[in-house]
Amino acid sequence: MAKRPSNKTSRAHVIGALLLVMALIAAACGGESDDSTPASPATDDASTNDPDAATSDNTGDDTDATATDDTDSATDASDGTTPQYGGTLRVGIPAEADALNPAAGLVTGSAITLLSPILEQLVYYGPDGEPVLYLAESITNIDPLTWQLTLHEGITFHDGSVMDSDDVIASFLAQLNHPVRGYALRAVFDIEVPIERVDERTVQYNLSTEFAIVPAGLTTLFGTVLPADYIEAARTDPDLNQAPIGSGPYILESRVQDEKTVYVRNPNYWNAENTEIYLDKIEFYPIPDANIAVERIIAGDLDMMTTNSTEALLALRDSDEVYTIESSFSESTAVMNGGRAPFNDIRVRQAATFAMPKEAYLTLIDGGITTSADSVFNPDQAYNNTDVVQITDMPDLAAPLIESYCQDVPDSCTDGKVNFELQQIGPSVLKSRISDLLIDAYEDYFNVTVEELLADAFNVQLALGQYDMAVASAFGLPEPGLDAVYFLCRFISLISLNVMQHCDEERDELIYAIWASTDPDERAEMWKRVQEINHDSYSVVYLAHEVSTVAARNNVHNVCGLTTPFRNEALMCNNWAVAIPLQAWLS
């Protein structure tokens, strides 16, 4: 029987932030909330018009690019609807953030959506997953260990101050020097002088290892910029972490954590001449149960929602009131902790893999929407190794492995079965169904107990290695080199980014070589070998390539319309169910 959701560790918010900022276990995770359901938002009038989509081409160069002025802005929707000013966009997100300062709080995929109206990034992903410059005017690779970034001129914060290189440096150091969040950054950047001022708008990043994907790294929240004065003030006044000063087109009006966050249009937005901002307000409602969010958007109590739930997607597809924007990046996984019994023995990891009911998962849990996964790559990706195929749905292969293990390690077994705890985020009806599926499939070989945890506590347990098996959304960043950090030996410690706690020196060498390479073919061959090593470790069972969904009512237009300030280049609309609807309008 599942335990009540708990929040067992007082270090949850601090430690959980590290895993989530790199999007290991993020978008599909449940909310950071109690068992109560947030209040329903008020209902606005809605009509039904066909949605439209952004059509801007992307011509960015992620290694040496300089923006050119382009002041054109949208005037009409692609469906012929004339943009309208005003109104409030009500957005349901599956998880809350414990702070709006990205250097201080829990940063989930949905929190990135939550922060997007007020905090802008140096770089975003374009439609095809390539880095596209935003606050940055140029990023230049000086040599393998040196990169320079120049800001656009004239960017101002909400308090009227002008963004300069000191702000970029302060924002970067705030995360680099964080005892937990900076863990991943310190693997790449020179610890003594990681970043330095070149001039008023230019900074230099100094690396300790070759990292050819620096622009992609700045697409994460490490690429957000806040005023240096604010960052310093927030160190002594934690309340400021709930009211950051950003440069975005909206400013914070009010916030009741776990209930509602409201932003209003920024009347002094620095990019107003280039970017049309139509909405008066954007309201965010954390709704952990995707089925409840679906009910509200269909009823008109929400205008938009994000989810990784396939059950929710099926209901959304069946509704005439909404449309969906779907993508496939992340994977549904069952990760095993190789740092402690019973999964520190490869026989148990193999048995759990062979007995995994993947076909039933795809059918009963995902409703046939998703496709089977064998690695972090989709079948159509150049880096995918088609020779790597996991053996699942063959429980008979588990029998001799379990018998052998229990003979050798009887303390980890009861009645000839291996004991382990399955951890999931909850409360959630869908997660309970997954637990029941695994318990039934494993009953001949494992004694499974289940613990449901709130999102922050769940990720803390993974980071601290206080789990046996966990089912979670994982990996799937458009630049896979950013996910590689989760496989490095150096990140197995008291707080482990390598939550599987499996070390392979050859894999480490390959990852560092991947980071250094700019040759797609060379990188592909190395990635294929990494997949073979991961397969042979039996540390992760890849269940499905998830479908991430952004859904909106038919009166919401231009959800995917956000473009860069000067080049008018389109940005990726749906990455891990992250949406940035800043140029949307209502009709």
Side-chain angles (χ1 to χ4, degrees), residues 22 62-63 141 143-145 147 183-189 207-217 383 477 479-491 497 507-519 522-524 526-527 530:
M22 296 293 287
D62 65 298
T63 58
N141 190 190
D143 60 51
L145 297 180
W147 293 72
Y183 194 29
L185 287 177
R186 290 192 291 271
V188 174
F189 290 88
L207 280 58
S208 59
T209 187
E210 293 185 50
F211 197 68
I213 55 175
V214 165
Y383 295 162
L477 289 174
E479 171 44 65
L482 299 179
D483 279 328
V485 67
Y486 299 112
F487 297 111
L488 289 174
C489 296
R490 68 184 298 173
F491 289 132
L497 274 178
R507 182 174 60 193
D508 275 17
E509 292 179 3
L510 287 165
I511 288 172
Y512 286 118
I514 288 169
W515 282 356
S517 176
T518 58
D519 184 330
E522 181 182 51
R523 297 182 89 219
M526 291 188 287
W527 270 122
V530 168

Side-chain angles (χ1 to χ4, degrees), residues 133-178:
L133 303 183
Y134 199 86
L135 295 179
E137 179 180 276
S138 67
I139 301 178
T140 305
N141 190 190
I142 304 299
D143 60 51
L145 297 180
T146 309
W147 293 72
Q148 288 190 352
L149 178 146
T150 299
L151 288 168
H152 279 296
E153 187 174 6
I155 302 171
T156 58
F157 291 109
H158 297 157
D159 62 0
S161 62
V162 177
M163 183 183 296
D164 62 21
S165 56
D166 290 337
D167 300 312
V168 176
I169 291 171
S171 298
F172 183 82
L173 290 179
Q175 302 200 54
L176 179 73
N177 294 329
H178 193 287

Side-chain angles (χ1 to χ4, degrees), residues 377-446:
F377 296 110
N378 283 298
D380 59 349
Q381 289 181 282
Y383 295 162
N384 182 56
N385 188 337
T386 57
D387 294 331
V388 171
V389 179
Q390 288 191 315
I391 299 174
T392 59
D393 295 288
M394 299 187 68
D396 290 347
L397 296 178
L401 297 167
I402 296 299
E403 181 180 1
S404 173
Y405 176 79
C406 287
Q407 288 176 350
D408 294 342
V409 193
D411 290 345
S412 292
C413 302
T414 302
D415 298 329
K417 302 177 185 180
V418 175
N419 305 319
F420 80 86
E421 183 175 75
L422 174 69
Q423 289 186 338
Q424 295 205 92
I425 290 173
S428 165
V429 173
L430 180 62
K431 297 296 185 181
S432 296
R433 288 171 53 201
I434 295 173
S435 299
D436 292 342
L437 176 64
L438 294 186
I439 290 171
D440 290 344
Y442 282 165
E443 63 179 352
D444 291 338
Y445 310 106
F446 297 96

